[in-house]
Amino acid sequence: MGCAGPKSFIKVKGELSFLDIARRQHEAFNELHGCRVPLLLMNSFYTDMQTIDKLGAESSVKSFCQSRCPRIYADTWYPPGHGNIFQSLAMNGILDELLEQVSTSPNADESLQGGTLIDIGGQLMHLEIPQVPPEHLDEFCSTRTFKIFNTNNIWVNLRAVKRQLETISSEIIVNKKVLNGRDVIQLETSIGGCIRNFAKAYCVHVERSRFLPVKKTDDLLAICSDLYTLTDSWALQLSKQGAAPTVELGKCFQKVDEFHARFEEYPDIRELRSLRIDGDFRFEKDVVLKVFYCIEL
């Protein structure tokens, strides 16, 4: 998406960014339930200082930096994926800090939730797209074969993490990229891949509305528009019945700054089913898109 800084800084509802919304969700949750659940942000070394500056010195939100690993065939470093969270929590002293805040009630199940799951030898394991051979991608992406997919919401017992910290491992994901015109390899792990370390791991089936990824500007348009509204608890909620429309934006919309610059006001897409834009277009105010739209130059 061509972000110049942390992805959480992208503005999605007026002047509110993803980070602003997350902080307000956190505050609303604690106020509603009369509790003090902490909010922690794991940053890469690329985004750590920017995030700390954005939060401000008075913020109750804590952040910590994950590890860095050397790329293969490149003299640079990279963050090794969110599977590194357990080790990073421990190295930054936050795991012990959180455990000190936990009451001394009996241990809960050593469980994690989430994921696109497979069963190998009676043990639940997580499967990611980069681990799937190309000839099986269509089958993997088919909802006929895999009816459950990962929402990236993981719940974990901190005592279990502490006990197994030295032995926690995850499947290695080989992420091939091009950096400065040169092919490089990043070996990464995912937090979902760590469920194999917990014998009592299970998943909780939630509604599709709980999964709202923003991987491309196609996804960003839906959230920035009136298709999604903010509830009293600062959750993003679909404002129509049924599924959200499919959106496919052309190359002129792929970078965040270029995307925002092409909308004087985001169109009304509540009655839209499918949108495809191919070309350099700009949207003025009071645009309404309905049913199927294909805009080309």
Side-chain angles (χ1 to χ4, degrees):
M1 292 174 62
C3 299
K7 189 176 177 181
S8 62
F9 291 4
I10 296 175
K11 294 179 180 179
V12 288
K13 286 297 180 187
E15 292 300 309
L16 293 178
S17 66
F18 285 118
L19 180 59
D20 295 327
I21 293 173
R23 293 177 70 178
R24 295 190 184 199
Q25 286 178 354
H26 173 241
E27 292 168 359
F29 179 89
N30 281 345
E31 182 177 352
L32 176 64
H33 297 282
C35 58
R36 297 177 62 186
V37 174
L39 175 60
L40 303 172
L41 305 177
M42 183 173 76
N43 303 313
S44 74
F45 56 91
Y46 288 120
T47 61
D48 192 43
M49 291 309 301
Q50 294 177 71
T51 302
I52 291 173
D53 290 342
K54 177 70 73 172
L55 291 172
E58 302 301 320
S59 175
S60 61
V61 179
K62 294 185 178 181
S63 66
F64 61 99
C65 192
Q66 70 175 131
S67 303
R68 64 173 69 188
C69 296
R71 288 189 174 98
I72 300 176
Y73 305 124
D75 299 326
T76 54
W77 300 83
Y78 70 94
H82 43 61
N84 179 239
I85 188 171
F86 300 129
Q87 291 80 7
S88 296
L89 282 170
M91 288 187 295
N92 285 276
I94 293 177
L95 178 59
D96 288 334
E97 181 181 328
L98 290 173
L99 284 169
E100 289 177 2
Q101 300 174 24
V102 177
S103 66
T104 56
S105 58
N107 287 350
D109 286 345
E110 300 174 11
S111 59
L112 294 168
Q113 301 175 13
T116 296
L117 302 178
I118 56 176
D119 187 311
I120 298 181
Q123 175 63 51
L124 285 180
M125 298 181 69
H126 184 258
L127 186 64
E128 296 246 12
I129 285 182
Q131 297 169 285
V132 179
E135 63 270 22
H136 292 291
L137 277 178
D138 289 342
E139 182 182 4
F140 177 77
C141 294
S142 170
T143 56
R144 292 191 299 272
T145 305
F146 292 93
K147 300 183 183 301
I148 296 175
F149 54 90
N150 180 27
T151 64
N152 281 334
N153 282 278
I154 308 294
W155 295 74
V156 60
N157 186 298
L158 293 177
R159 296 189 184 95
V161 172
K162 180 69 173 180
R163 285 195 300 270
Q164 298 179 219
L165 186 61
E166 298 300 322
T167 59
I168 288 178
S169 62
S170 177
E171 295 292 323
I172 299 296
I173 299 171
V174 179
N175 193 351
K176 298 179 180 179
K177 293 188 173 185
V178 177
L179 182 68
N180 298 325
R182 186 179 186 182
D183 292 334
V184 299
I185 296 175
Q186 296 182 181
L187 302 180
E188 302 177 0
T189 59
S190 72
I191 188 172
C194 295
I195 65 174
R196 69 177 190 172
N197 297 276
F198 299 85
K200 298 180 181 179
Y202 64 93
C203 72
V204 174
H205 193 183
V206 298
E207 296 179 354
R208 175 64 178 82
S209 60
R210 288 281 297 274
F211 187 57
L212 193 57
V214 180
K215 298 293 186 182
K216 300 182 292 185
T217 52
D218 304 358
D219 308 314
L220 189 58
L221 175 58
I223 292 179
C224 289
S225 74
D226 55 1
L227 188 64
Y228 285 91
T229 58
L230 287 168
T231 67
D232 292 339
S233 60
W234 297 96
L236 285 163
Q237 184 178 66
L238 190 63
S239 61
K240 58 173 281 186
Q241 296 294 322
T246 59
V247 177
E248 184 180 348
L249 302 179
K251 62 181 181 180
C252 294
F253 291 80
Q254 294 309 304
K255 293 186 177 181
V256 173
D257 290 344
E258 295 175 353
F259 167 85
H260 284 305
R262 281 168 171 75
F263 294 96
E264 183 178 353
E265 181 180 88
Y266 296 104
D268 182 338
I269 60 174
R270 287 173 293 181
E271 297 182 46
L272 185 69
R273 294 185 184 178
S274 178
L275 172 65
R276 180 175 177 269
I277 299 177
D278 188 6
D280 188 359
F281 292 91
R282 282 171 170 75
F283 288 78
E284 298 181 348
K285 293 182 178 180
D286 302 321
V287 175
V288 179
L289 302 178
K290 296 184 178 182
V291 194
F292 299 96
Y293 263 84
C294 180
I295 308 174
E296 297 180 333
L297 274 181

